[in-house]
Amino acid sequence: MNKKIYIETYGCQQNVSDSEKIAGMASEIGYTLCEDKAEADLIVYNTCAVRENAELKVYGNIGALKGLKRAKPHLIIAVCGCMMQEANVADRIKRVYKHVDIVFGTHALHKFKDLVRQAEGEHDFIVDVEDISGEIHEGLPIKRNEGVCASVSIMYGCNNFCTYCIVPYVRGRERSRRKEDIIAEVRTAAQQGYKEIMLLGQNVNSYGKGTDVSFAKLLDEVAGVEGVERIRFMTSHPKDISEELLLVMSRHDNICKQLHLPVQCGNNRVLKTMNRGYTREKYFTLIDKAREYMPDITISTDIIVGFPGETNEEFEDTIDLLERVRYDTVFSFIYSKRAGTPAATMEDVISPEEKKENFNRLLEVQNRICAEINSTYKDKILPVLVEGESKTDADTLTGRTDGGKLVHFKGDAALIGKIVNIKITEPKTWSLMGEVYE
Ligand code: 5AD
Ligand code: SF4
């Protein structure tokens, strides 16, 4: 029988990458991917725990599967990922969402095939959310998403315990993969035709801590793998970036000159309560250094607005920081309380309305800066890796510059997977329009 699996992924690139492993394992037990959950014999929700909104969405979506399960009793519903690793979530699902068959956490990913086989027979609610972080399971099959970019995890977990963040609790302590295993995976992806490699970790700069292989050394080797035309990585923690890393980046043409460097906020007192391990001054020095090594580097960041105790005055320091750094992209979030983290017990000093106002101000300022930066791209000719057809218009192709800027242009689908020179004709706030330059 041709069985079908539908996977919905929430949250970060790490989850996307885990879902590619789920798809790989599923195909070994006879499931092929499908895009419509109504067709599926197995539905997997791979969840995110970073903010409450994402969790509410998951609960809503699990609830909505009730009818489907009633109409199709053999349907297996599995919920996995970071949220399952939180206290009480598995119990709540068992109690409230009786149509769910399997709940498993991030540490049980490698057991996926066994869990599904168990669910294919007579079974009770199947749950595997034990916190047994520390192991790395190599050799899981991967069914990569189609396209030109492949993600490769280099480490798992996080030791930083930023006071707002749940990741260290749900993903466990930092553990790095062996360099040889990473290089082998990169080589295979390149041989399969993937042109761009994204190295993934919660804090890539602490890769290999305690061994003689630093992230910079790893990156240096990845850059030497045949067929790898572009390399990106995320996420870098500002407290751990080394000069050696900037040097390696600047030395290799195929390492993209792009840095995602989450600052979270621009005020020193708040940074300290967040347990970030740097000051704004230290952060500015880092940005200056990166730009000294690579004058064209694009820089992006994450910002949290409304961290408990942040005053309106302190928020002004974040606005000031945006004006000084002038990021190419900012991912901004309103603080979301996560039970069990130190910040969950800290008091607010401003109202939710004020937080929203501050958040909107931040967007306004950043949109202006983005538009100003992008307008400097007019008439530039840039190498663009063509990723695919535009979702809205089949005649239009989309790709990215070395710095990661999205470019749209008219062209033939035969260009997909190639690096093409594009002349930018019309910069917009979020993307650049251009034409093929011959
Ligand atoms: N509330 C809001 N944003 C958060 N992030 C992490 N935890 C929280 C939280 N509790 C943001 C940070 C991080 C990004 C991945 O998510 O900015 O860098
Ligand atoms: Fe969360 Fe901080 Fe670790 Fe990033 S570095 S995953 S924000 S604890």
Side-chain angles (χ1 to χ4, degrees):
M1 185 178 108
N2 180 17
K3 295 178 289 185
K4 298 217 165 95
I5 176 172
Y6 171 88
I7 306 177
E8 198 158 304
T9 309
Y10 301 79
C12 68
Q13 290 294 320
Q14 183 59 56
N15 262 14
V16 174
S17 170
D18 284 351
S19 287
E20 292 182 338
K21 291 187 181 136
I22 291 175
M25 289 184 275
S27 87
E28 290 189 340
I29 49 172
Y31 287 87
T32 48
L33 278 172
C34 71
E35 310 249 311
D36 178 3
K37 45 171 125 35
E39 275 179 30
D41 305 287
L42 167 58
I43 294 180
V44 179
Y45 283 163
N46 189 4
T47 65
C48 169
V50 170
R51 281 171 293 273
E52 193 186 14
N53 274 353
E55 298 202 342
L56 295 177
K57 208 154 107 196
V58 167
Y59 282 126
N61 289 349
I62 300 175
L65 291 179
K66 224 174 189 165
L68 211 54
K69 177 82 172 188
R70 207 176 299 126
K72 202 171 169 180
H74 83 273
L75 171 66
I76 299 171
I77 300 175
V79 191
C80 65
C82 291
M83 214 175 132
M84 301 307 114
Q85 224 55 72
E86 283 180 83
N88 307 325
V89 169
D91 283 344
R92 174 170 172 187
I93 292 181
K94 182 176 181 183
R95 209 167 8 93
V96 182
Y97 304 93
K98 298 204 186 313
H99 54 294
V100 170
D101 297 277
I102 314 173
V103 160
F104 64 99
T106 53
H107 304 307
L109 185 77
H110 63 287
K111 300 189 210 163
F112 179 74
K113 288 195 287 187
D114 288 341
L115 295 169
V116 172
R117 279 203 200 102
Q118 208 179 321
E120 283 173 339
E122 281 286 313
H123 65 278
D124 292 327
F125 183 71
I126 301 166
V127 57
D128 193 337
V129 294
E130 218 182 316
D131 184 358
I132 39 157
S133 64
E135 292 171 51
I136 290 184
H137 297 276
E138 289 295 346
L140 296 181
I142 305 175
K143 178 153 188 351
R144 293 191 188 283
N145 295 331
E146 279 172 27
V148 297
C149 310
S151 299
V152 175
S153 293
I154 62 165
M155 60 185 302
Y156 304 96
C158 180
N159 289 355
N160 289 311
F161 289 95
C162 301
T163 53
Y164 50 81
C165 185
I166 199 152
V167 169
Y169 304 88
V170 295
R171 287 262 174 198
R173 294 296 66 71
E174 274 173 14
R175 51 223 183 267
S176 300
R177 292 179 68 193
R178 288 181 345 131
K179 188 185 73 182
E180 294 70 25
D181 293 325
I182 297 169
I183 299 291
E185 189 178 327
V186 169
R187 197 170 287 134
T188 306
Q191 282 161 358
Q192 287 168 342
Y194 289 93
K195 306 288 179 204
E196 182 175 307
I197 300 292
M198 168 72 94
L199 302 177
L200 288 181
Q202 296 298 342
N203 175 12
V204 291
N205 300 106
S206 57
Y207 172 81
K209 239 180 201 166
T211 73
D212 57 355
V213 191
S214 62
F215 178 60
K217 286 209 176 72
L218 173 75
L219 193 60
D220 200 28
E221 266 195 50
V222 171
V225 174
E226 205 185 312
V228 175
E229 299 198 20
R230 281 184 171 183
I231 304 155
R232 300 183 201 276
F233 56 89
M234 72 188 291
T235 295
S236 297
H237 195 306
K239 79 175 167 55
D240 292 325
I241 281 210
S242 65
E243 196 136 358
E244 188 195 4
L245 173 70
L246 299 176
L247 195 66
V248 168
M249 283 179 79
S250 64
R251 263 207 323 251
H252 289 279
D253 283 345
N254 61 349
I255 301 181
C256 293
K257 307 299 176 267
Q258 179 190 17
L259 206 49
H260 182 58
L261 204 55
V263 68
Q264 310 299 357
C265 83
N267 175 269
N268 281 340
R269 190 200 64 81
V270 180
L271 282 171
K272 197 157 196 283
T273 1
M274 286 178 163
N275 191 31
R276 288 294 289 174
Y278 53 85
T279 58
R280 58 188 267 129
E281 292 75 21
K282 193 168 164 232
Y283 187 88
F284 288 141
T285 308
L286 198 53
I287 298 282
D288 288 346
K289 197 150 255 169
R291 287 181 169 151
E292 193 185 305
Y293 276 99
M294 296 161 278
D296 290 333
I297 193 164
T298 59
I299 302 177
S300 57
T301 202
D302 292 344
I303 304 254
I304 296 178
V305 176
F307 181 78
E310 184 182 68
T311 64
N312 287 326
E313 213 172 27
E314 287 168 338
F315 171 73
E316 291 308 316
D317 286 340
T318 298
I319 296 286
D320 177 72
L321 179 132
L322 293 186
E323 297 282 10
R324 287 201 201 192
V325 176
R326 294 179 67 80
Y327 293 103
D328 292 271
T329 311
V330 172
F331 301 93
S332 45
F333 313 98
I334 291 188
Y335 168 75
S336 168
K337 188 187 275 200
R338 306 285 59 214
T341 61
T345 55
M346 298 178 190
E347 301 282 334
D348 278 336
V349 293
I350 62 171
S351 66
E353 293 72 33
E354 285 174 294
K355 289 187 181 187
K356 187 86 200 138
E357 264 171 47
N358 288 344
F359 183 76
N360 289 340
R361 261 259 322 291
L362 182 143
L363 290 185
E364 228 172 81
V365 169
Q366 186 53 36
N367 286 355
R368 170 180 51 75
I369 294 172
C370 280
E372 284 169 4
I373 294 176
N374 279 0
S375 73
T376 65
Y377 280 72
K378 173 118 172 99
D379 297 331
K380 278 194 184 168
I381 296 153
L382 301 167
V384 166
L385 173 59
V386 186
E387 291 183 0
E389 287 171 359
S390 144
K391 288 194 184 88
T392 47
D393 175 3
D395 291 339
T396 302
L397 298 176
T398 67
R400 280 179 198 276
T401 65
D402 180 282
K405 293 210 180 262
L406 202 57
V407 182
H408 303 289
F409 57 96
K410 296 268 181 232
D412 193 282
L415 295 177
I416 294 170
K418 301 209 163 72
I419 294 183
V420 182
N421 280 332
I422 300 291
K423 182 173 178 182
I424 304 304
T425 50
E426 191 192 343
K428 301 192 163 180
T429 304
W430 305 117
S431 61
L432 307 168
M433 310 299 288
E435 59 195 25
V436 177
Y437 182 81
E438 329 241 16

